[in-house]
Structure formats: structure tokens, C-alpha cells
């Protein structure tokens, strides 16, 4: 095999003209990378992950994680796609193509990708308004997410939901009221139990919502009824512009359930998140009731696009997290250092992702806006058409499911 490769490289490098030498070298590089794809890479590797802090649990998730090459490439591409999609959203917002509320997820990619890697497509997810990443991991294409952000007919909510209200099968948003998705998530978990489905619901909220009274009421009901619900606090250290230390008397969010067991997880490590959520899902499926999880993570952007994000934290703090704890860089280094992928291969993924994002942005800026007569559509699912009152009693809109 090596002799054949050397012969191929020799022929490529002996081009007739110096002008063709660059193309030959490029082709040679491609041949070398392609050959590694099939022969030299390891099929899997085992990694040590940070031990989770436990509350009312004797045993926790595994501290070792097996990562296959196929999984690693998938996780890398998914996280890179979310990162690039959010950066493109930032650009479109600054160009005033995206309007209104817009909360970006870059920095927190390991949370949504690690969660999706640990659950089944039939399981249920509901989150707050920083929802673009979860919308993508639950199966909505980038072009539909960006088209929803720009208010176009091809958006996943037909251009009527915007940044905070995106949905797909077994994903219930995108909710704009702080903390309100948590009791809704418990309701979904109740339905799973009532209909005797072996499914779980993951109800996500931020550290800023963690002090809401309705969350504690929900904990109580979920524990009484042993609901298969994982309550996940994405602690990105700031609720809007207020640090967790200034907002909460106790920042041990994983202990907030008191009578409900809890885990505190490194939310910047996709493998740590994956193993923790696997453990939590198995716990709930076994009929043991709910579990509270805290994912320690970080957002690079401000709370929303109206927040520059540097009035309550320093640029140096953000840069330190980027340099030491970036979830995409952590995964990339693991894969390259353990021969699961090459730098060149990952660069090719980066190029492909950028191309996909640019094409999606083109669609999102050229697709037509929904017509006014569809304003009342899709209020209910599978219901006969009915009329909806407009701004005054003489204006009526037809609603079609």
C-alpha cells in the first residue's frame, strides 16, 4: 500500500510545468488524507472525564467515556455548525435583517449536542429562549432556523415564531417567559408516565430562572408523582448581566431539589455531558422519579444581541474561557491527539460547514415573508378551520391547522 502511495505521489509531483506543481501538491495532500481515512485512524478511544458532584446519590455517571471516530466527527460537525450558525445570526442581526429578540448559544454547544447524544429521538426536550442549538440537534435544518430568525415563510415556525419560538417533533420550544417551560416539561413527563411510555422529558432553564417559585412547585409535584423528568440548569454564570454570586444565596443549583437527587456536570465537555445525561435518563426510565442536573457552561455573547456582554465581565475573562475551555477545541484536541482524526480532515469539515451556513443564509434572506392572510394559521393542531378576530371586531382572519 505504501509503495503504491509513494508511486502515486511521485507521478503527481513530476508534473510537466512548475505552474502545475501547486495543483499536484494539493492533489497529493488529498491522496494522503484520503488514504488515512481508511487505514491509519483509530476506530475509538477511551477518555477520562471529570467526576460529577453528587447530591443524594451513592453512585454517579461513569468517569470514563468511549468515543468512536464516527461519533467524534459527528459531534465536531454538529457543534461547529451551531457555532457558525450563531455567528451568522450575529452578522444578520447587525445588518438589521434579523429583528427583535435574539439570544445566541455560542460557547454552550457541548450542552445541547451532549444531551442529544445521550437520549432517544422519542424523548422530549423543552427549553427557554436560548433555543437555536436545541432546535438544530432535534432535527431542524439550518436554513429553516435562519429563515425563522429572518421571519420568512420557509422558517420552522413559518416565520411567525422568531428566535424564541421554534418547534419540531418532540421539541416544545423556545419559551419566552422566564422559567415557565419547567412546569410544562413536568406536564410532558406526566403524559409519558400516564400513557406508560418509556420516555423521559428534559426541562432546561438557566441560572437566572433558577430562583423562580414555579420551579420549586414543579420539583414538589415531580417528586410526589415520580415523574420521568430531568430538570437541567444551564449555569452560564450570568443571569442577564448579574453574576450567579450576586443573584443566588446558594449557587449549588444541583442541590436545589433538596429531596430530589442531583448532579453537577462540566458543561464544556461534551463527553462529560453525554455520560451524565445517559445516567440521568436511565435513572428516570427505571421509575425512580426526577433528577436535577446543573451544567456548568459559558456563553460568549451577551445575554441577547442588545447586550454587548462586557459591562459586567471583562474581555479577558471571555478570552480565558475560549482559550482553556472551548468545547469545540477540547473535542478537536482529543480527536487529533488520539488519532481519531487529522487536522486536515477537521479543516475540511470547517469548510463544508461554512458553505452550508452561507447557503442557508442566502435562503433566509431571499425566501418570501408569510402573507398577511396566514397570520391566524397554525394556532391549533388538527382542528377544523375557524375565524380569529383581528385588531378590531371587523377584521377577521381564517385559522387553518
Amino acid at each position: 500500500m505504501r509503495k503504491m502511495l509513494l508511486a502515486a505521489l511521485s507521478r503527481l509531483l513530476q508534473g510537466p510545468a512548475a505552474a502545475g506543481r501547486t495543483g499536484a501538491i494539493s492533489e497529493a495532500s488529498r491522496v494522503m488524507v484520503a488514504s488515512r481515512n481508511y487505514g491509519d485512524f483509530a476506530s475509538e478511544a477511551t477518555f477520562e472525564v471529570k467526576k460529577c458532584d453528587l447530591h443524594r446519590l451513592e453512585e454517579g455517571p461513569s468517569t470514563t467515556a468511549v468515543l468512536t471516530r464516527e461519533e467524534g466527527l459527528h459531534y465536531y460537525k454538529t457543534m461547529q455548525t451551531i457555532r457558525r450558525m450563531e455567528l451568522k445570526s450575529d452578522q444578520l442581526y447587525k445588518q438589521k435583517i434579523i429583528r427583535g429578540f435574539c439570544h445566541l448559544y455560542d460557547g454552550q454547544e457541548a450542552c445541547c449536542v451532549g444531551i442529544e447524544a445521550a437520549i432517544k429521538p422519542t424523548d422530549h426536550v423543552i427549553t427557554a429562549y436560548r433555543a437555536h442549538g436545541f432546535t438544530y440537534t432535534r432535527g431542524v435544518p439550518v436554513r429553516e432556523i435562519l429563515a425563522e430568525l429572518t421571519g420568512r415563510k420557509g422558517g420552522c415556525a413559518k416565520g411567525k415564531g422568531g428566535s424564541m419560538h421554534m418547534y419540531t417533533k418532540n421539541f416544545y420550544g423556545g419559551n419566552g417567559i422566564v422559567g415557565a417551560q419547567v412546569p410544562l416539561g413536568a406536564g410532558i413527563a406526566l403524559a409519558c408516565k400516564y400513557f406508560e411510555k418509556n420516555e423521559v422529558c428534559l426541562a432546561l432553564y438557566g441560572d437566572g430562572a433558577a430562583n423562580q417559585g414555579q420551579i420549586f412547585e414543579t420539583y414538589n409535584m415531580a417528586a410526589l408523582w415520580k415523574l420521568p423528568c430531568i430538570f437541567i440548569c444551564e449555569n452560564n454564570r450570568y443571569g442577564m448581566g448579574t453574576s450567579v454570586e450576586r443573584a443566588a444565596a446558594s449557587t449549588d443549583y444541583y442541590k436545589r431539589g433538596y429531596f430530589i437527587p442531583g448532579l453537577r456536570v462540566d458543561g464544556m465537555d461534551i463527553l462529560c455531558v453525554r455520560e451524565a445525561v445517559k445516567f440521568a435518563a436511565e435513572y428516570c426510565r427505571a421509575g425512580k422519579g426526577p433528577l436535577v442536573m446543573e451544567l456548568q457552561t459559558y456563553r460568549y455573547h451577551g445575554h441577547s444581541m442588545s447586550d454587548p456582554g462586557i459591562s459586567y465581565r471583562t474581555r479577558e475573562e471571555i478570552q480565558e474561557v475560549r482559550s482553556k475551555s472551548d468545547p469545540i477545541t477540547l473535542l478537536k484536541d482529543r480527536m487529533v491527539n488520539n488519532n481519531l482524526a487529522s487536522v486536515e480532515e477537521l479543516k475540511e469539515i470547517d469548510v463544508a460547514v461554512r458553505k452550508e451556513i452561507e447557503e442557508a443564509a442566502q435562503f433566509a434572506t431571499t425566501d418570501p415573508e408569510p402573507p398577511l392572510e396566514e397570520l391566524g394559521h397554525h394556532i391549533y393542531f388538527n382542528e377544523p378551520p375557524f375565524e380569529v378576530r383581528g385588531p378590531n371586531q371587523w377584521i377577521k382572519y381564517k385559522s387553518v391547522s
Side-chain angles (χ1 to χ4, degrees):
M1 179 65 181
R2 290 192 177 186
K3 288 182 179 179
M4 292 173 65
L5 281 172
L6 288 171
L9 288 171
S10 177
R11 286 194 299 272
L12 286 167
L13 293 173
Q14 291 174 1
R21 186 73 50 92
T22 302
I25 293 172
S26 176
E27 179 65 15
S29 300
R30 188 192 65 76
V31 170
M32 292 176 70
V33 172
S35 67
R36 287 197 68 192
N37 285 344
Y38 297 101
D40 297 341
F41 291 122
S43 60
E44 64 179 41
T46 302
F47 300 96
E48 294 290 327
V49 295
K50 185 179 177 182
K51 184 179 180 181
C52 297
D53 296 321
L54 307 180
H55 171 64
R56 296 179 68 93
L57 287 168
E58 292 183 3
E59 293 183 4
S62 174
T63 55
T64 60
V66 176
L67 178 68
T68 68
R69 169 174 154 77
E70 184 180 0
E71 287 172 341
L73 292 173
H74 173 67
Y75 299 162
Y76 180 83
K77 182 180 180 182
T78 305
M79 288 200 290
Q80 194 68 269
T81 299
I82 294 169
R83 176 72 57 86
R84 291 291 161 188
M85 178 177 70
E86 296 298 65
L87 293 177
K88 177 57 69 173
S89 300
D90 172 278
Q91 181 184 345
L92 294 174
Y93 196 96
K94 289 172 179 174
Q95 292 172 350
K96 298 186 178 180
I97 296 172
I98 295 174
R99 299 282 189 146
F101 295 108
C102 186
H103 304 81
L104 302 182
Y105 200 70
D106 51 319
Q108 299 183 209
E109 295 89 352
C111 296
C112 64
V113 180
I115 285 171
E116 190 63 37
I119 62 175
K120 301 175 182 178
T122 52
D123 290 325
H124 309 269
V125 176
I126 186 168
T127 189
Y129 40 75
R130 202 178 302 280
H132 307 163
F134 287 99
T135 307
Y136 180 70
T137 57
R138 288 265 85 184
V140 178
V142 174
R143 58 187 274 145
E144 292 186 22
I145 296 172
L146 290 181
E148 189 58 40
L149 287 170
T150 57
R152 307 305 170 108
K153 192 174 181 178
C156 56
K158 310 300 181 186
K160 294 180 286 188
S163 174
M164 298 197 292
H165 305 290
M166 298 182 181
Y167 312 93
T168 190
K169 186 173 176 61
N170 297 329
F171 177 63
Y172 307 86
N175 292 267
I177 306 301
V178 176
Q181 71 279 5
V182 179
L184 293 178
I188 297 166
L190 175 60
C192 294
K193 184 171 184 177
Y194 183 83
F195 291 110
E196 297 182 347
K197 296 181 178 180
N198 190 28
E199 299 167 358
V200 299
C201 180
L202 290 76
L204 292 108
Y205 55 98
D207 53 274
N211 299 318
Q212 287 267 323
Q214 59 186 325
I215 292 179
F216 293 92
E217 294 179 55
T218 306
Y219 286 165
N220 187 58
M221 286 189 290
L224 282 172
W225 298 340
K226 290 190 177 296
L227 300 183
C229 191
I230 308 172
F231 298 105
I232 302 180
C233 175
E234 288 185 284
N235 176 10
N236 60 25
R237 293 167 48 178
Y238 297 94
M240 297 187 72
T242 305
S243 67
V244 293
E245 292 81 11
R246 293 180 58 217
S250 170
T251 57
D252 292 332
Y253 296 105
Y254 71 110
K255 295 181 179 179
R256 289 286 191 92
Y258 302 110
F259 37 78
I260 300 177
L263 298 166
R264 182 159 59 192
V265 182
D266 180 359
M268 302 299 276
D269 181 352
I270 186 173
L271 297 183
C272 197
V273 174
R274 186 189 71 179
E275 296 306 307
V277 176
K278 278 183 182 178
F279 172 88
E282 289 172 6
Y283 181 95
C284 290
R285 290 189 216 279
K288 297 178 182 179
L291 194 143
V292 176
M293 183 183 296
E294 175 188 345
L295 299 179
Q296 293 185 311
T297 184
Y298 197 83
R299 56 171 164 80
Y300 294 153
H301 268 84
H303 171 73
S304 69
M305 283 301 298
S306 61
D307 168 24
I310 52 172
S311 60
Y312 49 86
R313 58 182 185 176
T314 63
R315 295 182 188 273
E316 289 73 24
E317 177 186 304
I318 302 168
Q319 187 55 42
E320 183 179 13
V321 175
R322 282 184 180 274
S323 61
K324 294 181 179 179
S325 305
D326 183 79
I328 298 176
T329 303
L330 287 175
L331 178 63
K332 178 181 178 180
D333 290 346
R334 274 178 170 160
M335 293 183 69
V336 172
N337 294 339
N338 288 272
N339 200 31
L340 291 173
S342 66
V343 173
E344 294 81 9
E345 185 177 19
L346 297 180
K347 282 182 179 178
E348 287 181 4
I349 292 176
D350 295 346
V351 171
V353 166
R354 284 192 175 97
K355 183 174 184 290
E356 179 188 0
I357 299 301
E358 289 302 323
E359 290 173 353
Q362 180 67 21
F363 172 76
T365 52
T366 56
D367 193 52
E369 295 180 354
L372 185 61
E373 55 267 23
E374 292 185 8
L375 184 64
H377 287 192
H378 312 119
I379 295 174
Y380 295 107
F381 171 73
N382 202 24
E383 289 287 330
F386 62 97
E387 285 191 336
V388 179
R389 181 187 168 188
N392 62 57
Q393 59 182 324
W394 298 282
I395 298 178
K396 305 283 187 181
Y397 296 106
K398 188 176 182 179
S399 181
V400 178
S401 297

